[in-house]
Amino acid sequence: MTVVTVLLVAAVLLGIGTWGVLSQQSFVMIMMGFELAINGVMLAAGALWRFTSGGEPRGQVLVVVAMLVMAVEAAIGFALVVAVSRARRADTTEGIAELRR
Protein backbone atom coordinates (compact mmCIF):
# COMPACT_ATOMS: atom_id res chain seq x y z
CA MET A 1 0.00 0.00 0.00
CA THR A 2 1.40 3.38 -0.99
CA VAL A 3 1.13 6.73 0.72
CA VAL A 4 -1.03 8.03 -2.13
CA THR A 5 -3.61 5.30 -1.60
CA VAL A 6 -3.79 5.91 2.13
CA LEU A 7 -4.06 9.68 1.66
CA LEU A 8 -6.80 9.16 -0.93
CA VAL A 9 -8.80 7.05 1.54
CA ALA A 10 -8.22 9.71 4.21
CA ALA A 11 -9.46 12.44 1.85
CA VAL A 12 -12.58 10.42 1.07
CA LEU A 13 -13.28 9.93 4.79
CA LEU A 14 -12.78 13.64 5.42
CA GLY A 15 -15.07 14.57 2.53
CA ILE A 16 -17.85 12.19 3.56
CA GLY A 17 -17.58 13.40 7.16
CA THR A 18 -17.74 17.06 6.14
CA TRP A 19 -20.73 16.38 3.91
CA GLY A 20 -22.41 14.53 6.77
CA VAL A 21 -21.92 17.42 9.18
CA LEU A 22 -23.14 20.06 6.76
CA SER A 23 -26.11 18.21 5.27
CA GLN A 24 -27.74 16.49 8.24
CA GLN A 25 -30.04 17.85 10.93
CA SER A 26 -30.06 14.92 13.32
CA PHE A 27 -27.66 15.20 16.24
CA VAL A 28 -26.50 11.63 15.87
CA MET A 29 -25.73 12.02 12.18
CA ILE A 30 -23.81 15.24 12.83
CA MET A 31 -21.73 13.47 15.49
CA MET A 32 -21.07 10.60 13.09
CA GLY A 33 -19.93 13.09 10.45
CA PHE A 34 -17.51 14.66 12.93
CA GLU A 35 -16.16 11.23 13.80
CA LEU A 36 -15.59 10.33 10.15
CA ALA A 37 -13.84 13.63 9.45
CA ILE A 38 -11.57 13.25 12.47
CA ASN A 39 -10.80 9.66 11.49
CA GLY A 40 -9.77 10.86 8.03
CA VAL A 41 -7.41 13.43 9.52
CA MET A 42 -5.90 10.90 11.90
CA LEU A 43 -5.44 8.37 9.08
CA ALA A 44 -3.62 10.99 7.02
CA ALA A 45 -1.42 11.97 9.96
CA GLY A 46 -0.58 8.36 10.78
CA ALA A 47 0.21 7.58 7.15
CA LEU A 48 2.47 10.58 6.77
CA TRP A 49 4.36 9.69 9.94
CA ARG A 50 4.61 6.06 8.85
CA PHE A 51 5.97 6.81 5.41
CA THR A 52 8.24 9.76 6.33
CA SER A 53 9.75 8.78 9.68
CA GLY A 54 11.35 5.53 8.59
CA GLY A 55 9.12 3.33 10.71
CA GLU A 56 9.58 4.93 14.13
CA PRO A 57 6.36 4.49 16.11
CA ARG A 58 6.16 7.96 17.66
CA GLY A 59 3.57 9.23 15.19
CA GLN A 60 1.40 6.17 15.49
CA VAL A 61 1.43 6.45 19.27
CA LEU A 62 0.20 10.03 18.97
CA VAL A 63 -2.60 8.87 16.66
CA VAL A 64 -3.62 6.18 19.17
CA VAL A 65 -3.73 8.80 21.94
CA ALA A 66 -5.84 11.05 19.69
CA MET A 67 -8.22 8.13 19.07
CA LEU A 68 -8.57 7.65 22.81
CA VAL A 69 -9.38 11.33 23.29
CA MET A 70 -11.84 11.15 20.39
CA ALA A 71 -13.63 8.20 21.99
CA VAL A 72 -14.04 10.14 25.24
CA GLU A 73 -15.24 13.18 23.30
CA ALA A 74 -17.81 11.06 21.45
CA ALA A 75 -19.12 9.58 24.69
CA ILE A 76 -19.52 13.04 26.24
CA GLY A 77 -21.11 14.37 23.05
CA PHE A 78 -23.64 11.56 22.88
CA ALA A 79 -24.45 12.04 26.56
CA LEU A 80 -25.16 15.72 25.86
CA VAL A 81 -27.32 14.80 22.88
CA VAL A 82 -29.33 12.39 25.02
CA ALA A 83 -29.73 15.02 27.76
CA VAL A 84 -30.92 17.67 25.30
CA SER A 85 -33.29 15.28 23.55
CA ARG A 86 -34.82 14.21 26.86
CA ALA A 87 -35.15 17.75 28.21
CA ARG A 88 -36.44 19.39 25.03
CA ARG A 89 -38.02 16.40 23.29
CA ALA A 90 -35.99 17.37 20.22
CA ASP A 91 -33.85 15.17 18.05
CA THR A 92 -32.93 17.66 15.31
CA THR A 93 -31.08 20.95 15.30
CA GLU A 94 -34.27 22.84 14.45
CA GLY A 95 -35.94 21.56 17.61
CA ILE A 96 -33.61 23.42 19.97
CA ALA A 97 -33.83 26.94 18.60
CA GLU A 98 -34.49 28.35 22.09
CA LEU A 99 -31.74 26.56 24.01
CA ARG A 100 -30.67 29.68 25.92
CA ARG A 101 -33.50 29.47 28.44
PDB file of all heavy atoms in Angstrom, residues 43-74:
ATOM      1  N   LEU A  43      -6.014   9.319  10.036  1.00  0.00           N
ATOM      2  CA  LEU A  43      -5.442   8.371   9.084  1.00  0.00           C
ATOM      3  C   LEU A  43      -4.363   9.035   8.238  1.00  0.00           C
ATOM      4  O   LEU A  43      -3.292   8.461   8.019  1.00  0.00           O
ATOM      5  CB  LEU A  43      -6.533   7.783   8.189  1.00  0.00           C
ATOM      6  CG  LEU A  43      -6.085   6.798   7.132  1.00  0.00           C
ATOM      7  CD1 LEU A  43      -5.471   5.569   7.784  1.00  0.00           C
ATOM      8  CD2 LEU A  43      -7.246   6.422   6.234  1.00  0.00           C
ATOM      9  N   ALA A  44      -4.624  10.261   7.802  1.00  0.00           N
ATOM     10  CA  ALA A  44      -3.618  10.985   7.019  1.00  0.00           C
ATOM     11  C   ALA A  44      -2.373  11.272   7.856  1.00  0.00           C
ATOM     12  O   ALA A  44      -1.243  11.105   7.380  1.00  0.00           O
ATOM     13  CB  ALA A  44      -4.210  12.290   6.489  1.00  0.00           C
ATOM     14  N   ALA A  45      -2.566  11.685   9.097  1.00  0.00           N
ATOM     15  CA  ALA A  45      -1.417  11.971   9.964  1.00  0.00           C
ATOM     16  C   ALA A  45      -0.612  10.708  10.237  1.00  0.00           C
ATOM     17  O   ALA A  45       0.628  10.718  10.162  1.00  0.00           O
ATOM     18  CB  ALA A  45      -1.900  12.587  11.273  1.00  0.00           C
ATOM     19  N   GLY A  46      -1.279   9.613  10.539  1.00  0.00           N
ATOM     20  CA  GLY A  46      -0.584   8.358  10.783  1.00  0.00           C
ATOM     21  C   GLY A  46       0.161   7.862   9.555  1.00  0.00           C
ATOM     22  O   GLY A  46       1.280   7.348   9.654  1.00  0.00           O
ATOM     23  N   ALA A  47      -0.450   8.015   8.381  1.00  0.00           N
ATOM     24  CA  ALA A  47       0.209   7.576   7.149  1.00  0.00           C
ATOM     25  C   ALA A  47       1.437   8.420   6.847  1.00  0.00           C
ATOM     26  O   ALA A  47       2.485   7.890   6.454  1.00  0.00           O
ATOM     27  CB  ALA A  47      -0.772   7.648   5.988  1.00  0.00           C
ATOM     28  N   LEU A  48       1.316   9.723   7.023  1.00  0.00           N
ATOM     29  CA  LEU A  48       2.472  10.581   6.765  1.00  0.00           C
ATOM     30  C   LEU A  48       3.610  10.271   7.722  1.00  0.00           C
ATOM     31  O   LEU A  48       4.779  10.220   7.323  1.00  0.00           O
ATOM     32  CB  LEU A  48       2.068  12.052   6.843  1.00  0.00           C
ATOM     33  CG  LEU A  48       1.237  12.543   5.669  1.00  0.00           C
ATOM     34  CD1 LEU A  48       0.800  13.984   5.887  1.00  0.00           C
ATOM     35  CD2 LEU A  48       2.023  12.435   4.375  1.00  0.00           C
ATOM     36  N   TRP A  49       3.302  10.061   8.998  1.00  0.00           N
ATOM     37  CA  TRP A  49       4.357   9.690   9.939  1.00  0.00           C
ATOM     38  C   TRP A  49       4.958   8.337   9.588  1.00  0.00           C
ATOM     39  O   TRP A  49       6.157   8.131   9.683  1.00  0.00           O
ATOM     40  CB  TRP A  49       3.827   9.661  11.362  1.00  0.00           C
ATOM     41  CG  TRP A  49       3.915  10.970  12.058  1.00  0.00           C
ATOM     42  CD1 TRP A  49       5.000  11.787  12.126  1.00  0.00           C
ATOM     43  CD2 TRP A  49       2.895  11.610  12.805  1.00  0.00           C
ATOM     44  NE1 TRP A  49       4.705  12.898  12.853  1.00  0.00           N
ATOM     45  CE2 TRP A  49       3.415  12.818  13.295  1.00  0.00           C
ATOM     46  CE3 TRP A  49       1.578  11.284  13.118  1.00  0.00           C
ATOM     47  CZ2 TRP A  49       2.691  13.691  14.065  1.00  0.00           C
ATOM     48  CZ3 TRP A  49       0.855  12.156  13.885  1.00  0.00           C
ATOM     49  CH2 TRP A  49       1.401  13.342  14.349  1.00  0.00           C
ATOM     50  N   ARG A  50       4.113   7.411   9.178  1.00  0.00           N
ATOM     51  CA  ARG A  50       4.606   6.062   8.851  1.00  0.00           C
ATOM     52  C   ARG A  50       5.550   6.086   7.667  1.00  0.00           C
ATOM     53  O   ARG A  50       6.600   5.445   7.667  1.00  0.00           O
ATOM     54  CB  ARG A  50       3.414   5.154   8.580  1.00  0.00           C
ATOM     55  CG  ARG A  50       3.675   3.888   7.816  1.00  0.00           C
ATOM     56  CD  ARG A  50       4.507   2.896   8.604  1.00  0.00           C
ATOM     57  NE  ARG A  50       4.639   1.634   7.931  1.00  0.00           N
ATOM     58  CZ  ARG A  50       5.591   1.338   7.047  1.00  0.00           C
ATOM     59  NH1 ARG A  50       6.472   2.229   6.708  1.00  0.00           N
ATOM     60  NH2 ARG A  50       5.634   0.138   6.505  1.00  0.00           N
ATOM     61  N   PHE A  51       5.186   6.840   6.626  1.00  0.00           N
ATOM     62  CA  PHE A  51       5.968   6.814   5.405  1.00  0.00           C
ATOM     63  C   PHE A  51       7.125   7.813   5.407  1.00  0.00           C
ATOM     64  O   PHE A  51       7.998   7.723   4.557  1.00  0.00           O
ATOM     65  CB  PHE A  51       5.067   7.063   4.189  1.00  0.00           C
ATOM     66  CG  PHE A  51       4.174   5.898   3.885  1.00  0.00           C
ATOM     67  CD1 PHE A  51       2.821   5.952   4.162  1.00  0.00           C
ATOM     68  CD2 PHE A  51       4.682   4.737   3.328  1.00  0.00           C
ATOM     69  CE1 PHE A  51       2.001   4.881   3.881  1.00  0.00           C
ATOM     70  CE2 PHE A  51       3.862   3.663   3.058  1.00  0.00           C
ATOM     71  CZ  PHE A  51       2.514   3.725   3.324  1.00  0.00           C
ATOM     72  N   THR A  52       7.147   8.776   6.323  1.00  0.00           N
ATOM     73  CA  THR A  52       8.237   9.758   6.327  1.00  0.00           C
ATOM     74  C   THR A  52       9.221   9.592   7.471  1.00  0.00           C
ATOM     75  O   THR A  52      10.323  10.122   7.392  1.00  0.00           O
ATOM     76  CB  THR A  52       7.674  11.193   6.368  1.00  0.00           C
ATOM     77  OG1 THR A  52       6.894  11.358   7.547  1.00  0.00           O
ATOM     78  CG2 THR A  52       6.855  11.498   5.133  1.00  0.00           C
ATOM     79  N   SER A  53       8.857   8.871   8.523  1.00  0.00           N
ATOM     80  CA  SER A  53       9.752   8.785   9.678  1.00  0.00           C
ATOM     81  C   SER A  53      10.620   7.536   9.663  1.00  0.00           C
ATOM     82  O   SER A  53      11.364   7.313  10.611  1.00  0.00           O
ATOM     83  CB  SER A  53       8.947   8.821  10.976  1.00  0.00           C
ATOM     84  OG  SER A  53       8.200   7.637  11.111  1.00  0.00           O
ATOM     85  N   GLY A  54      10.528   6.725   8.660  1.00  0.00           N
ATOM     86  CA  GLY A  54      11.352   5.535   8.592  1.00  0.00           C
ATOM     87  C   GLY A  54      10.894   4.413   9.496  1.00  0.00           C
ATOM     88  O   GLY A  54      11.668   3.539   9.845  1.00  0.00           O
ATOM     89  N   GLY A  55       9.653   4.425   9.916  1.00  0.00           N
ATOM     90  CA  GLY A  55       9.116   3.332  10.711  1.00  0.00           C
ATOM     91  C   GLY A  55       9.154   3.532  12.205  1.00  0.00           C
ATOM     92  O   GLY A  55       8.790   2.639  12.948  1.00  0.00           O
ATOM     93  N   GLU A  56       9.600   4.702  12.685  1.00  0.00           N
ATOM     94  CA  GLU A  56       9.583   4.933  14.126  1.00  0.00           C
ATOM     95  C   GLU A  56       8.141   5.115  14.586  1.00  0.00           C
ATOM     96  O   GLU A  56       7.357   5.797  13.946  1.00  0.00           O
ATOM     97  CB  GLU A  56      10.409   6.169  14.471  1.00  0.00           C
ATOM     98  CG  GLU A  56      11.890   5.968  14.236  1.00  0.00           C
ATOM     99  CD  GLU A  56      12.705   7.133  14.742  1.00  0.00           C
ATOM    100  OE1 GLU A  56      12.223   7.852  15.629  1.00  0.00           O
ATOM    101  OE2 GLU A  56      13.803   7.304  14.237  1.00  0.00           O
ATOM    102  N   PRO A  57       7.778   4.524  15.715  1.00  0.00           N
ATOM    103  CA  PRO A  57       6.365   4.486  16.106  1.00  0.00           C
ATOM    104  C   PRO A  57       5.861   5.736  16.835  1.00  0.00           C
ATOM    105  O   PRO A  57       4.751   5.724  17.328  1.00  0.00           O
ATOM    106  CB  PRO A  57       6.306   3.280  17.044  1.00  0.00           C
ATOM    107  CG  PRO A  57       7.658   3.222  17.647  1.00  0.00           C
ATOM    108  CD  PRO A  57       8.603   3.682  16.577  1.00  0.00           C
ATOM    109  N   ARG A  58       6.616   6.796  16.899  1.00  0.00           N
ATOM    110  CA  ARG A  58       6.159   7.962  17.661  1.00  0.00           C
ATOM    111  C   ARG A  58       4.874   8.562  17.100  1.00  0.00           C
ATOM    112  O   ARG A  58       3.980   8.935  17.848  1.00  0.00           O
ATOM    113  CB  ARG A  58       7.244   9.020  17.699  1.00  0.00           C
ATOM    114  CG  ARG A  58       8.307   8.721  18.721  1.00  0.00           C
ATOM    115  CD  ARG A  58       9.315   9.790  18.723  1.00  0.00           C
ATOM    116  NE  ARG A  58      10.378   9.323  17.826  1.00  0.00           N
ATOM    117  CZ  ARG A  58      11.425  10.025  17.487  1.00  0.00           C
ATOM    118  NH1 ARG A  58      11.567  11.230  17.922  1.00  0.00           N
ATOM    119  NH2 ARG A  58      12.333   9.526  16.693  1.00  0.00           N
ATOM    120  N   GLY A  59       4.769   8.671  15.803  1.00  0.00           N
ATOM    121  CA  GLY A  59       3.571   9.233  15.187  1.00  0.00           C
ATOM    122  C   GLY A  59       2.348   8.364  15.393  1.00  0.00           C
ATOM    123  O   GLY A  59       1.261   8.856  15.675  1.00  0.00           O
ATOM    124  N   GLN A  60       2.520   7.071  15.295  1.00  0.00           N
ATOM    125  CA  GLN A  60       1.397   6.170  15.486  1.00  0.00           C
ATOM    126  C   GLN A  60       0.920   6.193  16.929  1.00  0.00           C
ATOM    127  O   GLN A  60      -0.269   6.067  17.196  1.00  0.00           O
ATOM    128  CB  GLN A  60       1.759   4.742  15.073  1.00  0.00           C
ATOM    129  CG  GLN A  60       1.822   4.548  13.575  1.00  0.00           C
ATOM    130  CD  GLN A  60       3.162   4.943  12.979  1.00  0.00           C
ATOM    131  OE1 GLN A  60       4.108   5.231  13.690  1.00  0.00           O
ATOM    132  NE2 GLN A  60       3.227   4.960  11.671  1.00  0.00           N
ATOM    133  N   VAL A  61       1.827   6.353  17.865  1.00  0.00           N
ATOM    134  CA  VAL A  61       1.430   6.454  19.273  1.00  0.00           C
ATOM    135  C   VAL A  61       0.599   7.708  19.490  1.00  0.00           C
ATOM    136  O   VAL A  61      -0.413   7.693  20.197  1.00  0.00           O
ATOM    137  CB  VAL A  61       2.672   6.423  20.194  1.00  0.00           C
ATOM    138  CG1 VAL A  61       2.299   6.748  21.623  1.00  0.00           C
ATOM    139  CG2 VAL A  61       3.368   5.082  20.109  1.00  0.00           C
ATOM    140  N   LEU A  62       0.985   8.801  18.859  1.00  0.00           N
ATOM    141  CA  LEU A  62       0.199  10.034  18.966  1.00  0.00           C
ATOM    142  C   LEU A  62      -1.192   9.847  18.370  1.00  0.00           C
ATOM    143  O   LEU A  62      -2.180  10.338  18.925  1.00  0.00           O
ATOM    144  CB  LEU A  62       0.931  11.190  18.283  1.00  0.00           C
ATOM    145  CG  LEU A  62       0.254  12.548  18.362  1.00  0.00           C
ATOM    146  CD1 LEU A  62       0.151  12.999  19.814  1.00  0.00           C
ATOM    147  CD2 LEU A  62       0.999  13.565  17.547  1.00  0.00           C
ATOM    148  N   VAL A  63      -1.296   9.131  17.273  1.00  0.00           N
ATOM    149  CA  VAL A  63      -2.600   8.868  16.660  1.00  0.00           C
ATOM    150  C   VAL A  63      -3.460   8.009  17.584  1.00  0.00           C
ATOM    151  O   VAL A  63      -4.659   8.250  17.732  1.00  0.00           O
ATOM    152  CB  VAL A  63      -2.422   8.216  15.272  1.00  0.00           C
ATOM    153  CG1 VAL A  63      -3.734   7.688  14.746  1.00  0.00           C
ATOM    154  CG2 VAL A  63      -1.830   9.214  14.300  1.00  0.00           C
ATOM    155  N   VAL A  64      -2.864   7.020  18.234  1.00  0.00           N
ATOM    156  CA  VAL A  64      -3.622   6.179  19.170  1.00  0.00           C
ATOM    157  C   VAL A  64      -4.120   7.013  20.352  1.00  0.00           C
ATOM    158  O   VAL A  64      -5.265   6.860  20.801  1.00  0.00           O
ATOM    159  CB  VAL A  64      -2.769   4.978  19.639  1.00  0.00           C
ATOM    160  CG1 VAL A  64      -3.431   4.263  20.790  1.00  0.00           C
ATOM    161  CG2 VAL A  64      -2.536   4.029  18.487  1.00  0.00           C
ATOM    162  N   VAL A  65      -3.298   7.915  20.855  1.00  0.00           N
ATOM    163  CA  VAL A  65      -3.728   8.801  21.944  1.00  0.00           C
ATOM    164  C   VAL A  65      -4.866   9.709  21.463  1.00  0.00           C
ATOM    165  O   VAL A  65      -5.843   9.936  22.186  1.00  0.00           O
ATOM    166  CB  VAL A  65      -2.534   9.618  22.485  1.00  0.00           C
ATOM    167  CG1 VAL A  65      -2.995  10.711  23.427  1.00  0.00           C
ATOM    168  CG2 VAL A  65      -1.545   8.706  23.176  1.00  0.00           C
ATOM    169  N   ALA A  66      -4.767  10.213  20.241  1.00  0.00           N
ATOM    170  CA  ALA A  66      -5.838  11.050  19.693  1.00  0.00           C
ATOM    171  C   ALA A  66      -7.132  10.251  19.537  1.00  0.00           C
ATOM    172  O   ALA A  66      -8.225  10.785  19.769  1.00  0.00           O
ATOM    173  CB  ALA A  66      -5.417  11.630  18.350  1.00  0.00           C
ATOM    174  N   MET A  67      -7.023   8.970  19.166  1.00  0.00           N
ATOM    175  CA  MET A  67      -8.217   8.127  19.069  1.00  0.00           C
ATOM    176  C   MET A  67      -8.860   7.926  20.436  1.00  0.00           C
ATOM    177  O   MET A  67     -10.090   7.915  20.554  1.00  0.00           O
ATOM    178  CB  MET A  67      -7.860   6.774  18.464  1.00  0.00           C
ATOM    179  CG  MET A  67      -7.532   6.839  16.996  1.00  0.00           C
ATOM    180  SD  MET A  67      -6.974   5.270  16.364  1.00  0.00           S
ATOM    181  CE  MET A  67      -8.530   4.467  16.104  1.00  0.00           C
ATOM    182  N   LEU A  68      -8.051   7.789  21.458  1.00  0.00           N
ATOM    183  CA  LEU A  68      -8.575   7.654  22.813  1.00  0.00           C
ATOM    184  C   LEU A  68      -9.318   8.921  23.234  1.00  0.00           C
ATOM    185  O   LEU A  68     -10.424   8.853  23.771  1.00  0.00           O
ATOM    186  CB  LEU A  68      -7.438   7.351  23.785  1.00  0.00           C
ATOM    187  CG  LEU A  68      -7.820   7.221  25.255  1.00  0.00           C
ATOM    188  CD1 LEU A  68      -8.657   5.981  25.464  1.00  0.00           C
ATOM    189  CD2 LEU A  68      -6.572   7.169  26.106  1.00  0.00           C
ATOM    190  N   VAL A  69      -8.728  10.057  22.968  1.00  0.00           N
ATOM    191  CA  VAL A  69      -9.375  11.332  23.293  1.00  0.00           C
ATOM    192  C   VAL A  69     -10.663  11.483  22.488  1.00  0.00           C
ATOM    193  O   VAL A  69     -11.684  11.956  23.000  1.00  0.00           O
ATOM    194  CB  VAL A  69      -8.410  12.504  23.045  1.00  0.00           C
ATOM    195  CG1 VAL A  69      -9.120  13.831  23.140  1.00  0.00           C
ATOM    196  CG2 VAL A  69      -7.246  12.445  24.019  1.00  0.00           C
ATOM    197  N   MET A  70     -10.646  11.054  21.226  1.00  0.00           N
ATOM    198  CA  MET A  70     -11.837  11.148  20.390  1.00  0.00           C
ATOM    199  C   MET A  70     -12.957  10.252  20.909  1.00  0.00           C
ATOM    200  O   MET A  70     -14.134  10.625  20.864  1.00  0.00           O
ATOM    201  CB  MET A  70     -11.492  10.760  18.961  1.00  0.00           C
ATOM    202  CG  MET A  70     -12.606  11.002  17.986  1.00  0.00           C
ATOM    203  SD  MET A  70     -12.174  10.608  16.307  1.00  0.00           S
ATOM    204  CE  MET A  70     -12.259   8.840  16.358  1.00  0.00           C
ATOM    205  N   ALA A  71     -12.611   9.092  21.430  1.00  0.00           N
ATOM    206  CA  ALA A  71     -13.633   8.200  21.986  1.00  0.00           C
ATOM    207  C   ALA A  71     -14.283   8.823  23.217  1.00  0.00           C
ATOM    208  O   ALA A  71     -15.509   8.745  23.392  1.00  0.00           O
ATOM    209  CB  ALA A  71     -13.019   6.851  22.330  1.00  0.00           C
ATOM    210  N   VAL A  72     -13.493   9.461  24.060  1.00  0.00           N
ATOM    211  CA  VAL A  72     -14.043  10.141  25.245  1.00  0.00           C
ATOM    212  C   VAL A  72     -14.919  11.304  24.808  1.00  0.00           C
ATOM    213  O   VAL A  72     -16.009  11.523  25.352  1.00  0.00           O
ATOM    214  CB  VAL A  72     -12.905  10.595  26.168  1.00  0.00           C
ATOM    215  CG1 VAL A  72     -13.416  11.487  27.274  1.00  0.00           C
ATOM    216  CG2 VAL A  72     -12.170   9.395  26.737  1.00  0.00           C
ATOM    217  N   GLU A  73     -14.464  12.048  23.814  1.00  0.00           N
ATOM    218  CA  GLU A  73     -15.244  13.178  23.303  1.00  0.00           C
ATOM    219  C   GLU A  73     -16.567  12.703  22.731  1.00  0.00           C
ATOM    220  O   GLU A  73     -17.608  13.337  22.931  1.00  0.00           O
ATOM    221  CB  GLU A  73     -14.422  13.907  22.238  1.00  0.00           C
ATOM    222  CG  GLU A  73     -15.184  14.935  21.443  1.00  0.00           C
ATOM    223  CD  GLU A  73     -15.654  14.405  20.104  1.00  0.00           C
ATOM    224  OE1 GLU A  73     -15.044  13.479  19.563  1.00  0.00           O
ATOM    225  OE2 GLU A  73     -16.669  14.939  19.624  1.00  0.00           O
ATOM    226  N   ALA A  74     -16.570  11.589  22.018  1.00  0.00           N
ATOM    227  CA  ALA A  74     -17.806  11.061  21.446  1.00  0.00           C
ATOM    228  C   ALA A  74     -18.767  10.627  22.539  1.00  0.00           C
ATOM    229  O   ALA A  74     -19.976  10.869  22.445  1.00  0.00           O
ATOM    230  CB  ALA A  74     -17.498   9.893  20.521  1.00  0.00           C
TER     231      ALA A  74
END
